[in-house]
Amino acid sequence: APDASEFFYTMQYRGGQFSVIMQVQKINGKWSKPEVANFCGQYNDLEPAYSPDGNKLYFASNRPIPGSNGKDYNIWYVSKQSGKWIDPTPLQSAVNTSADEFYPSLTKTGNLYFTRAMKDKGEDIVLCKWVNGQYEEAVSLPGVINTAGDEFNAFVDADERYIIYSGYKRKGAYGIGDLYISKKNEQGEWGESSNLGNSINATGLTYCP
């Protein structure tokens, strides 16, 4: 959490058959034992991410959206009221589609970056801008980040100064998937991505920064 009072993480059964979000709280300066988050346990929930103000927690889930028969993954959030996380709510249709959406990352302006399964390839990192109280349609990030291969699971600085993400099976990579960084220039454009190096990237899959 922004105030370091609690910590959420994904616990996933080997093979990915089931995943749940776990919660740990700091009480009197000590971390509590992990417990299943109160809004989880019935569906596959994963990849929690705080809003910069700490009042909302976003996550991916295959729980059904009301009025829909889909079983894909979508982005949801819960709100914190009186110290408790309540009211799981799916995001708008600009964000959630019939494809899978994963790994949300929020900015101070309300912009939402996330991973989406694409029709003509694997996965892209996309952006939904928050404008006048709603999300605009998702746009894939430019070619300095997204390629013909798979890009996914991006952490975006809350001020949108840089993005760290996973690139899959890229030429010259240290492993099957490496972490890369791109920074914005003075014009607000994303610059060429750089590999974060073998002090971070290993021979396997390095992801979920």
Side-chain angles (χ1 to χ4, degrees), residues 68-88:
S68 171
N69 294 322
K71 296 181 179 180
D72 59 306
Y73 283 85
N74 294 289
I75 307 297
W76 291 65
Y77 72 89
V78 286
S79 300
K80 196 169 191 178
Q81 295 185 18
S82 301
K84 295 182 179 181
W85 295 99
I86 63 171
D87 297 336

PDB file of all heavy atoms in Angstrom, residues 68-88:
ATOM      1  N   SER A  68     -23.433 -10.995 -18.247  1.00  0.00           N
ATOM      2  CA  SER A  68     -22.572 -11.593 -19.264  1.00  0.00           C
ATOM      3  C   SER A  68     -22.356 -13.064 -18.957  1.00  0.00           C
ATOM      4  O   SER A  68     -22.279 -13.472 -17.795  1.00  0.00           O
ATOM      5  CB  SER A  68     -21.219 -10.881 -19.315  1.00  0.00           C
ATOM      6  OG  SER A  68     -20.310 -11.577 -20.138  1.00  0.00           O
ATOM      7  N   ASN A  69     -22.238 -13.868 -20.013  1.00  0.00           N
ATOM      8  CA  ASN A  69     -21.966 -15.301 -19.848  1.00  0.00           C
ATOM      9  C   ASN A  69     -20.487 -15.627 -20.070  1.00  0.00           C
ATOM     10  O   ASN A  69     -20.098 -16.786 -20.074  1.00  0.00           O
ATOM     11  CB  ASN A  69     -22.815 -16.118 -20.834  1.00  0.00           C
ATOM     12  CG  ASN A  69     -24.296 -16.017 -20.527  1.00  0.00           C
ATOM     13  OD1 ASN A  69     -24.689 -15.987 -19.366  1.00  0.00           O
ATOM     14  ND2 ASN A  69     -25.119 -15.951 -21.568  1.00  0.00           N
ATOM     15  N   GLY A  70     -19.695 -14.595 -20.282  1.00  0.00           N
ATOM     16  CA  GLY A  70     -18.283 -14.802 -20.570  1.00  0.00           C
ATOM     17  C   GLY A  70     -17.522 -15.348 -19.378  1.00  0.00           C
ATOM     18  O   GLY A  70     -17.874 -15.102 -18.219  1.00  0.00           O
ATOM     19  N   LYS A  71     -16.464 -16.110 -19.664  1.00  0.00           N
ATOM     20  CA  LYS A  71     -15.612 -16.678 -18.629  1.00  0.00           C
ATOM     21  C   LYS A  71     -14.175 -16.211 -18.798  1.00  0.00           C
ATOM     22  O   LYS A  71     -13.247 -16.852 -18.308  1.00  0.00           O
ATOM     23  CB  LYS A  71     -15.694 -18.203 -18.658  1.00  0.00           C
ATOM     24  CG  LYS A  71     -17.084 -18.758 -18.334  1.00  0.00           C
ATOM     25  CD  LYS A  71     -17.090 -20.271 -18.344  1.00  0.00           C
ATOM     26  CE  LYS A  71     -18.488 -20.812 -18.003  1.00  0.00           C
ATOM     27  NZ  LYS A  71     -18.527 -22.300 -18.007  1.00  0.00           N
ATOM     28  N   ASP A  72     -13.994 -15.105 -19.514  1.00  0.00           N
ATOM     29  CA  ASP A  72     -12.657 -14.577 -19.723  1.00  0.00           C
ATOM     30  C   ASP A  72     -12.222 -13.754 -18.501  1.00  0.00           C
ATOM     31  O   ASP A  72     -12.989 -13.532 -17.566  1.00  0.00           O
ATOM     32  CB  ASP A  72     -12.627 -13.702 -20.980  1.00  0.00           C
ATOM     33  CG  ASP A  72     -13.596 -12.532 -20.878  1.00  0.00           C
ATOM     34  OD1 ASP A  72     -14.783 -12.766 -20.609  1.00  0.00           O
ATOM     35  OD2 ASP A  72     -13.157 -11.384 -21.053  1.00  0.00           O
ATOM     36  N   TYR A  73     -10.972 -13.293 -18.528  1.00  0.00           N
ATOM     37  CA  TYR A  73     -10.444 -12.475 -17.445  1.00  0.00           C
ATOM     38  C   TYR A  73     -10.689 -11.001 -17.742  1.00  0.00           C
ATOM     39  O   TYR A  73     -10.505 -10.540 -18.870  1.00  0.00           O
ATOM     40  CB  TYR A  73      -8.950 -12.730 -17.261  1.00  0.00           C
ATOM     41  CG  TYR A  73      -8.654 -14.021 -16.549  1.00  0.00           C
ATOM     42  CD1 TYR A  73      -8.583 -15.217 -17.259  1.00  0.00           C
ATOM     43  CD2 TYR A  73      -8.450 -14.054 -15.173  1.00  0.00           C
ATOM     44  CE1 TYR A  73      -8.313 -16.416 -16.612  1.00  0.00           C
ATOM     45  CE2 TYR A  73      -8.184 -15.249 -14.519  1.00  0.00           C
ATOM     46  CZ  TYR A  73      -8.121 -16.425 -15.243  1.00  0.00           C
ATOM     47  OH  TYR A  73      -7.866 -17.603 -14.596  1.00  0.00           O
ATOM     48  N   ASN A  74     -11.097 -10.271 -16.704  1.00  0.00           N
ATOM     49  CA  ASN A  74     -11.372  -8.849 -16.811  1.00  0.00           C
ATOM     50  C   ASN A  74     -10.746  -8.107 -15.641  1.00  0.00           C
ATOM     51  O   ASN A  74     -10.290  -8.711 -14.672  1.00  0.00           O
ATOM     52  CB  ASN A  74     -12.886  -8.600 -16.834  1.00  0.00           C
ATOM     53  CG  ASN A  74     -13.552  -9.153 -18.074  1.00  0.00           C
ATOM     54  OD1 ASN A  74     -13.374  -8.640 -19.172  1.00  0.00           O
ATOM     55  ND2 ASN A  74     -14.334 -10.216 -17.904  1.00  0.00           N
ATOM     56  N   ILE A  75     -10.737  -6.766 -15.744  1.00  0.00           N
ATOM     57  CA  ILE A  75     -10.206  -5.933 -14.680  1.00  0.00           C
ATOM     58  C   ILE A  75     -11.340  -5.495 -13.760  1.00  0.00           C
ATOM     59  O   ILE A  75     -12.352  -4.961 -14.218  1.00  0.00           O
ATOM     60  CB  ILE A  75      -9.487  -4.691 -15.242  1.00  0.00           C
ATOM     61  CG1 ILE A  75      -8.421  -5.100 -16.269  1.00  0.00           C
ATOM     62  CG2 ILE A  75      -8.858  -3.878 -14.108  1.00  0.00           C
ATOM     63  CD1 ILE A  75      -7.304  -5.939 -15.737  1.00  0.00           C
ATOM     64  N   TRP A  76     -11.154  -5.719 -12.479  1.00  0.00           N
ATOM     65  CA  TRP A  76     -12.115  -5.331 -11.438  1.00  0.00           C
ATOM     66  C   TRP A  76     -11.415  -4.432 -10.420  1.00  0.00           C
ATOM     67  O   TRP A  76     -10.185  -4.311 -10.429  1.00  0.00           O
ATOM     68  CB  TRP A  76     -12.635  -6.571 -10.710  1.00  0.00           C
ATOM     69  CG  TRP A  76     -13.513  -7.477 -11.524  1.00  0.00           C
ATOM     70  CD1 TRP A  76     -13.151  -8.206 -12.624  1.00  0.00           C
ATOM     71  CD2 TRP A  76     -14.898  -7.757 -11.303  1.00  0.00           C
ATOM     72  NE1 TRP A  76     -14.218  -8.918 -13.098  1.00  0.00           N
ATOM     73  CE2 TRP A  76     -15.312  -8.658 -12.310  1.00  0.00           C
ATOM     74  CE3 TRP A  76     -15.831  -7.332 -10.352  1.00  0.00           C
ATOM     75  CZ2 TRP A  76     -16.611  -9.143 -12.387  1.00  0.00           C
ATOM     76  CZ3 TRP A  76     -17.124  -7.818 -10.426  1.00  0.00           C
ATOM     77  CH2 TRP A  76     -17.509  -8.714 -11.437  1.00  0.00           C
ATOM     78  N   TYR A  77     -12.208  -3.831  -9.536  1.00  0.00           N
ATOM     79  CA  TYR A  77     -11.619  -3.120  -8.413  1.00  0.00           C
ATOM     80  C   TYR A  77     -12.515  -3.233  -7.191  1.00  0.00           C
ATOM     81  O   TYR A  77     -13.721  -3.495  -7.294  1.00  0.00           O
ATOM     82  CB  TYR A  77     -11.358  -1.649  -8.751  1.00  0.00           C
ATOM     83  CG  TYR A  77     -12.603  -0.783  -8.860  1.00  0.00           C
ATOM     84  CD1 TYR A  77     -13.133  -0.127  -7.749  1.00  0.00           C
ATOM     85  CD2 TYR A  77     -13.243  -0.613 -10.081  1.00  0.00           C
ATOM     86  CE1 TYR A  77     -14.267   0.656  -7.841  1.00  0.00           C
ATOM     87  CE2 TYR A  77     -14.373   0.178 -10.197  1.00  0.00           C
ATOM     88  CZ  TYR A  77     -14.885   0.814  -9.074  1.00  0.00           C
ATOM     89  OH  TYR A  77     -16.013   1.586  -9.181  1.00  0.00           O
ATOM     90  N   VAL A  78     -11.909  -3.067  -6.031  1.00  0.00           N
ATOM     91  CA  VAL A  78     -12.632  -2.921  -4.776  1.00  0.00           C
ATOM     92  C   VAL A  78     -12.243  -1.582  -4.161  1.00  0.00           C
ATOM     93  O   VAL A  78     -11.165  -1.046  -4.432  1.00  0.00           O
ATOM     94  CB  VAL A  78     -12.325  -4.073  -3.788  1.00  0.00           C
ATOM     95  CG1 VAL A  78     -13.004  -5.357  -4.220  1.00  0.00           C
ATOM     96  CG2 VAL A  78     -10.822  -4.287  -3.640  1.00  0.00           C
ATOM     97  N   SER A  79     -13.140  -1.032  -3.345  1.00  0.00           N
ATOM     98  CA  SER A  79     -12.910   0.253  -2.689  1.00  0.00           C
ATOM     99  C   SER A  79     -12.714   0.052  -1.194  1.00  0.00           C
ATOM    100  O   SER A  79     -13.287  -0.858  -0.601  1.00  0.00           O
ATOM    101  CB  SER A  79     -14.101   1.187  -2.920  1.00  0.00           C
ATOM    102  OG  SER A  79     -14.307   1.415  -4.307  1.00  0.00           O
ATOM    103  N   LYS A  80     -11.887   0.924  -0.608  1.00  0.00           N
ATOM    104  CA  LYS A  80     -11.619   0.814   0.824  1.00  0.00           C
ATOM    105  C   LYS A  80     -12.504   1.787   1.593  1.00  0.00           C
ATOM    106  O   LYS A  80     -12.473   3.001   1.350  1.00  0.00           O
ATOM    107  CB  LYS A  80     -10.150   1.116   1.123  1.00  0.00           C
ATOM    108  CG  LYS A  80      -9.705   0.664   2.503  1.00  0.00           C
ATOM    109  CD  LYS A  80      -8.205   0.741   2.650  1.00  0.00           C
ATOM    110  CE  LYS A  80      -7.745   0.046   3.921  1.00  0.00           C
ATOM    111  NZ  LYS A  80      -6.267   0.079   4.054  1.00  0.00           N
ATOM    112  N   GLN A  81     -13.301   1.230   2.492  1.00  0.00           N
ATOM    113  CA  GLN A  81     -14.176   2.029   3.336  1.00  0.00           C
ATOM    114  C   GLN A  81     -14.099   1.520   4.761  1.00  0.00           C
ATOM    115  O   GLN A  81     -14.248   0.320   5.007  1.00  0.00           O
ATOM    116  CB  GLN A  81     -15.627   1.974   2.834  1.00  0.00           C
ATOM    117  CG  GLN A  81     -15.836   2.597   1.459  1.00  0.00           C
ATOM    118  CD  GLN A  81     -17.297   2.635   1.063  1.00  0.00           C
ATOM    119  OE1 GLN A  81     -18.183   2.509   1.892  1.00  0.00           O
ATOM    120  NE2 GLN A  81     -17.549   2.823  -0.219  1.00  0.00           N
ATOM    121  N   SER A  82     -13.819   2.426   5.676  1.00  0.00           N
ATOM    122  CA  SER A  82     -13.694   2.083   7.103  1.00  0.00           C
ATOM    123  C   SER A  82     -12.715   0.938   7.318  1.00  0.00           C
ATOM    124  O   SER A  82     -12.941   0.042   8.138  1.00  0.00           O
ATOM    125  CB  SER A  82     -15.068   1.734   7.688  1.00  0.00           C
ATOM    126  OG  SER A  82     -15.967   2.821   7.539  1.00  0.00           O
ATOM    127  N   GLY A  83     -11.621   0.955   6.530  1.00  0.00           N
ATOM    128  CA  GLY A  83     -10.568  -0.039   6.684  1.00  0.00           C
ATOM    129  C   GLY A  83     -10.835  -1.374   6.039  1.00  0.00           C
ATOM    130  O   GLY A  83     -10.019  -2.292   6.170  1.00  0.00           O
ATOM    131  N   LYS A  84     -11.965  -1.518   5.321  1.00  0.00           N
ATOM    132  CA  LYS A  84     -12.306  -2.789   4.686  1.00  0.00           C
ATOM    133  C   LYS A  84     -12.456  -2.599   3.176  1.00  0.00           C
ATOM    134  O   LYS A  84     -12.879  -1.542   2.702  1.00  0.00           O
ATOM    135  CB  LYS A  84     -13.606  -3.345   5.274  1.00  0.00           C
ATOM    136  CG  LYS A  84     -13.505  -3.712   6.739  1.00  0.00           C
ATOM    137  CD  LYS A  84     -14.818  -4.311   7.240  1.00  0.00           C
ATOM    138  CE  LYS A  84     -14.717  -4.695   8.710  1.00  0.00           C
ATOM    139  NZ  LYS A  84     -15.976  -5.303   9.222  1.00  0.00           N
ATOM    140  N   TRP A  85     -12.114  -3.653   2.441  1.00  0.00           N
ATOM    141  CA  TRP A  85     -12.229  -3.641   0.980  1.00  0.00           C
ATOM    142  C   TRP A  85     -13.575  -4.239   0.591  1.00  0.00           C
ATOM    143  O   TRP A  85     -13.880  -5.372   0.938  1.00  0.00           O
ATOM    144  CB  TRP A  85     -11.090  -4.425   0.343  1.00  0.00           C
ATOM    145  CG  TRP A  85      -9.759  -3.786   0.588  1.00  0.00           C
ATOM    146  CD1 TRP A  85      -8.840  -4.121   1.528  1.00  0.00           C
ATOM    147  CD2 TRP A  85      -9.209  -2.674  -0.120  1.00  0.00           C
ATOM    148  NE1 TRP A  85      -7.749  -3.297   1.449  1.00  0.00           N
ATOM    149  CE2 TRP A  85      -7.943  -2.399   0.441  1.00  0.00           C
ATOM    150  CE3 TRP A  85      -9.657  -1.889  -1.194  1.00  0.00           C
ATOM    151  CZ2 TRP A  85      -7.130  -1.364  -0.019  1.00  0.00           C
ATOM    152  CZ3 TRP A  85      -8.851  -0.862  -1.652  1.00  0.00           C
ATOM    153  CH2 TRP A  85      -7.600  -0.607  -1.073  1.00  0.00           C
ATOM    154  N   ILE A  86     -14.381  -3.447  -0.125  1.00  0.00           N
ATOM    155  CA  ILE A  86     -15.757  -3.862  -0.405  1.00  0.00           C
ATOM    156  C   ILE A  86     -16.124  -3.620  -1.868  1.00  0.00           C
ATOM    157  O   ILE A  86     -15.425  -2.949  -2.607  1.00  0.00           O
ATOM    158  CB  ILE A  86     -16.759  -3.109   0.493  1.00  0.00           C
ATOM    159  CG1 ILE A  86     -16.706  -1.602   0.204  1.00  0.00           C
ATOM    160  CG2 ILE A  86     -16.480  -3.383   1.972  1.00  0.00           C
ATOM    161  CD1 ILE A  86     -17.807  -0.821   0.902  1.00  0.00           C
ATOM    162  N   ASP A  87     -17.256  -4.185  -2.250  1.00  0.00           N
ATOM    163  CA  ASP A  87     -17.936  -3.926  -3.524  1.00  0.00           C
ATOM    164  C   ASP A  87     -17.070  -4.209  -4.754  1.00  0.00           C
ATOM    165  O   ASP A  87     -16.692  -3.297  -5.495  1.00  0.00           O
ATOM    166  CB  ASP A  87     -18.442  -2.480  -3.591  1.00  0.00           C
ATOM    167  CG  ASP A  87     -19.483  -2.172  -2.549  1.00  0.00           C
ATOM    168  OD1 ASP A  87     -20.146  -3.112  -2.078  1.00  0.00           O
ATOM    169  OD2 ASP A  87     -19.644  -0.982  -2.204  1.00  0.00           O
ATOM    170  N   PRO A  88     -16.724  -5.474  -5.035  1.00  0.00           N
ATOM    171  CA  PRO A  88     -16.026  -5.781  -6.288  1.00  0.00           C
ATOM    172  C   PRO A  88     -16.827  -5.288  -7.492  1.00  0.00           C
ATOM    173  O   PRO A  88     -18.012  -5.603  -7.632  1.00  0.00           O
ATOM    174  CB  PRO A  88     -15.928  -7.305  -6.276  1.00  0.00           C
ATOM    175  CG  PRO A  88     -16.027  -7.681  -4.832  1.00  0.00           C
ATOM    176  CD  PRO A  88     -16.972  -6.681  -4.218  1.00  0.00           C
TER     177      PRO A  88
END
